[in-house]
Amino acid sequence: MDKCVMTLPVLLLFLGLVVMSQSCLEPASAYRFTGAVCRLTYPAAVVLNEKTTKVIQAAFQHAKYPSISNEKSILFVGKVKYGLANLEIHNLSIGRSEFELIAGEGIEIAISNVSAVFKGTIQYGYGSWLVNVGHSVDFEIDSHIDLGINPKLYCGKGKVAADTSDCYLTFHKLDLLLQGDREPGWLKRLFTNFITFTVKLVIKSQICKEINNVANILADFIQERAEQFLSDGDISMDIGVTSAPVITSNYIESYHKGLAKYNNMTAVINESVFDPSQLTDDRMLYFWISDEVFNPLITAAHQDRCFVLNISGLELTELFKTNLSTPIPEFLSQFLSSEEPVLRVWSVSVPHLWTTPMGTYVRAVAAAELTSGAEDIPGLYFEMEMVVVVTASYAKKKLILIATTSQISIMKDSLSTDTLQMVEAHIEYLKEAVEKIGVPKVISKLEPSLTALLDKQGTNLFDLIEPQVVSQDGFVIIQTDFAFPHHLLVEFLRKTLE
């Protein structure tokens, strides 16, 4: 059991959430192939937008500005050749970021009051002088810029992509300062005109290009994190999208396959019951997950022998001190008092899950084997079929499971000696022990194991606010509010600026 129990600015985060897919359909056609849905509402976008400036800063600082050369003929001087090199950005600050969700179209993002100093070197020569052997002078450009991006999200080349060609910079200030400001007036005017035109062109081209690059880096970053989060050992998940995202004025919604993968086998989903009306926009973030996602995961976990539990020694004897209404059989008392008693429990066949408003029902057939190091103490083997109703919640960074047994039957039983026979009273005791001892013990093992798995994937680093797990017919909804995920921003910026 312990082995394998089972954002950032609006545009850029969303590009990370939607990942590779073999084909994309219209949303209404894609619903039945969709195992998981993510709905990010407007209040969530507001929180994520708080740090848009940090990512835009990364785009400015990560951009590479090429060297540029030109020449011009000037009366009485002749031909002047000049070039701009070593352009770097300094003292970057950004005022604020605003956005708007445009229903059926995309996202409008406006970055205002970007202040930056660009530094570099101007190389120049007169007549036939070559730029790289002529004079040079260092310069600074003091600038104030507004940045606007109107990306259109679409489904192309197997993934959701963004057309960011509608990207523009408005320069409110662009002042040139030559080193010492001692150069002739005509030279400064020439370079001012040259730089005013060239730098605007270069900065716009490189910044818009880098924003697209940062979006791709973030997409890969979030995709890697998502794949890691949904993987455990040899079990993984295909979270490729089934359709292009839907954008309304209240939310952005993406549709994902949610196909379990194990031993080169991939699950198939073609009867999903998703409908957009099943989600609201009252909370910041929603995850809709179909039963068709969970059942293949359970199958993979069973095949990977995840559902095995061994209990021995004092832990085992303490379990059976639980007061039950049925007397404990004599042979079982002897077994528990023997040397090295061991209880081994495992799933005999693949458990089956179905979700209702009452909770998630799990039907399982399990086997239990009691053995002892003492040869004169009989062992016990029995198989049981049970149906358990499970409800889940998450509080104080811990997963909480509540299980209620609705059905138990002993299907097969045997003792390792012919001198004893199982009687009806023994069967009744085993059924009560399974319900009141066995199921709670399994849950007590699952809770910390699953919490540890969530922590391993970084769930505990998120500041989730009143998360809820809502069960419905055929699916589960996880809904929550959250604070800005600073740890993701720090890790992303570190990787981006490496």
Side-chain angles (χ1 to χ4, degrees):
M1 184 83 66
D2 291 337
K3 176 168 73 80
C4 50
V5 259
M6 307 287 295
T7 228
L8 297 162
V10 180
L11 165 68
L12 303 186
L13 174 77
F14 190 73
L15 286 175
L17 291 174
V18 287
V19 293
M20 298 302 295
S21 171
Q22 291 183 352
S23 62
C24 288
L25 305 171
E26 289 298 317
S29 301
Y31 292 159
R32 69 189 185 96
F33 303 106
T34 297
V37 177
C38 173
R39 177 175 288 188
L40 187 78
T41 65
Y42 189 88
V46 171
V47 169
L48 296 172
N49 186 59
E50 292 175 3
K51 302 299 180 181
T52 297
T53 55
K54 295 293 185 182
V55 177
I56 297 301
Q57 282 181 332
F60 270 83
Q61 293 168 343
H62 199 257
K64 305 299 182 184
Y65 302 98
S67 298
I68 296 177
S69 60
N70 204 345
E71 63 180 41
K72 188 176 182 68
S73 295
I74 299 178
L75 187 63
F76 304 123
V77 175
K79 185 176 293 184
V80 178
K81 295 184 178 180
Y82 48 87
L84 182 151
N86 306 320
L87 187 61
E88 297 178 350
I89 191 167
H90 298 265
N91 303 330
L92 175 66
S93 66
I94 298 178
R96 62 179 180 175
S97 168
E98 296 178 341
F99 76 95
E100 185 176 356
L101 302 181
I102 309 300
E105 294 187 22
I107 308 166
E108 288 187 356
I109 301 176
I111 312 296
S112 62
N113 197 22
V114 179
S115 176
V117 175
F118 293 89
K119 295 183 179 182
T121 302
I122 295 176
Q123 301 167 326
Y124 65 96
Y126 300 96
S128 61
W129 294 350
L130 295 176
V131 173
N132 60 355
V133 296
H135 299 289
S136 67
V137 60
D138 294 335
F139 69 89
E140 293 183 4
I141 306 169
D142 190 9
S143 66
H144 287 172
I145 307 168
D146 288 344
L147 169 65
I149 315 166
N150 297 316
K152 308 298 181 185
L153 301 183
Y154 66 96
C155 192
K157 295 184 178 180
K159 66 178 181 179
V160 172
D163 176 6
T164 60
S165 58
D166 189 3
C167 170
Y168 58 90
L169 277 70
T170 302
F171 292 83
H172 298 290
K173 178 181 179 182
L174 199 66
D175 294 340
L176 171 66
L177 175 66
L178 298 178
Q179 184 183 43
D181 221 13
R182 293 188 300 269
E183 299 302 319
W186 65 265
L187 187 61
K188 182 174 181 180
R189 285 194 299 272
L190 170 64
F191 291 159
T192 298
N193 294 334
F194 163 61
I195 289 179
T196 299
F197 175 78
T198 304
V199 169
K200 282 183 179 180
L201 190 64
V202 170
I203 292 176
K204 177 187 182 300
S205 172
Q206 294 306 116
I207 292 301
C208 291
K209 179 179 178 181
E210 191 58 33
I211 285 173
N212 185 66
N213 181 49
V214 169
N216 290 326
I217 293 174
L218 182 55
D220 293 339
F221 171 75
I222 298 294
Q223 178 177 339
E224 290 171 4
R225 292 294 298 264
E227 290 176 348
Q228 292 170 6
F229 187 85
L230 296 170
S231 300
D232 184 32
D234 295 329
I235 302 172
S236 60
M237 177 81 69
D238 179 357
I239 57 172
V241 295
T242 58
S243 174
V246 166
I247 299 178
T248 74
S249 59
N250 295 323
Y251 62 80
I252 307 173
E253 187 166 87
S254 61
Y255 311 98
H256 302 264
K257 293 179 179 179
L259 303 178
K261 299 170 67 177
Y262 179 73
N263 279 351
N264 297 320
M265 300 292 290
T266 302
V268 175
I269 293 178
N270 52 27
E271 296 182 356
S272 177
V273 297
F274 175 73
D275 187 273
S277 64
Q278 295 161 349
L279 299 177
T280 67
D281 53 17
D282 299 326
R283 305 298 299 274
M284 294 171 65
L285 182 64
Y286 294 84
F287 292 105
W288 182 100
I289 306 175
S290 170
D291 287 356
E292 291 193 68
V293 172
F294 290 119
N295 277 309
L297 281 176
I298 291 174
T299 299
H302 169 79
Q303 295 173 347
D304 205 41
R305 301 189 61 79
C306 292
F307 303 137
V308 176
L309 177 63
N310 295 308
I311 306 174
S312 60
L314 183 62
E315 182 184 10
L316 178 59
T317 56
E318 288 294 320
L319 273 182
F320 282 89
K321 291 181 179 180
T322 304
N323 290 326
L324 303 179
S325 61
T326 310
I328 186 170
E330 179 62 29
F331 73 86
L332 193 53
S333 294
Q334 293 178 0
F335 167 80
L336 292 172
S337 61
S338 66
E339 294 182 4
E340 301 177 2
V342 176
L343 169 64
R344 182 171 178 265
V345 182
W346 66 96
S347 56
V348 173
S349 58
V350 177
H352 178 68
L353 170 153
W354 69 99
T355 306
T356 75
M358 301 297 294
T360 299
Y361 285 74
V362 181
R363 182 186 301 277
V365 176
E369 184 178 42
L370 290 159
T371 59
S372 171
E375 295 182 0
D376 58 336
I377 301 297
L380 171 65
Y381 173 87
F382 65 96
E383 294 180 6
M384 69 206 109
E385 182 180 39
M386 68 187 77
V387 176
V388 180
V389 186
V390 181
T391 58
S393 59
Y394 188 80
K396 297 181 179 179
K397 302 190 182 296
K398 295 182 184 297
L399 181 67
I400 302 167
L401 301 175
I402 298 176
T404 303
T405 304
S406 66
Q407 176 184 325
I408 295 179
S409 60
I410 304 299
M411 302 172 58
K412 182 189 298 185
D413 59 80
S414 63
L415 290 165
S416 59
T417 175
D418 295 333
T419 60
L420 291 175
Q421 296 295 323
M422 294 288 287
V423 298
E424 186 62 27
H426 297 162
I427 300 298
E428 290 303 313
Y429 177 84
L430 291 178
K431 290 168 64 176
E432 186 177 6
V434 168
E435 177 182 0
K436 297 181 178 179
I437 299 175
V439 171
K441 184 62 177 179
V442 170
I443 293 299
S444 73
K445 293 285 188 178
L446 276 173
E447 285 180 329
S449 297
L450 287 171
T451 297
L453 181 60
L454 292 173
D455 290 348
K456 176 184 175 184
Q457 312 297 13
T459 305
N460 58 326
L461 299 178
F462 287 88
D463 186 7
L464 302 179
I465 302 170
E466 297 183 1
Q468 294 176 300
V469 181
V470 180
S471 300
Q472 297 294 337
D473 288 319
F475 61 92
V476 167
I477 297 172
I478 302 170
Q479 55 191 36
T480 187
D481 296 331
F482 60 87
F484 188 85
H486 291 277
H487 68 286
L488 283 183
L489 177 63
V490 171
E491 184 177 348
F492 166 68
L493 293 177
R494 178 183 57 80
K495 293 188 69 172
T496 303
L497 299 176
E498 281 179 349

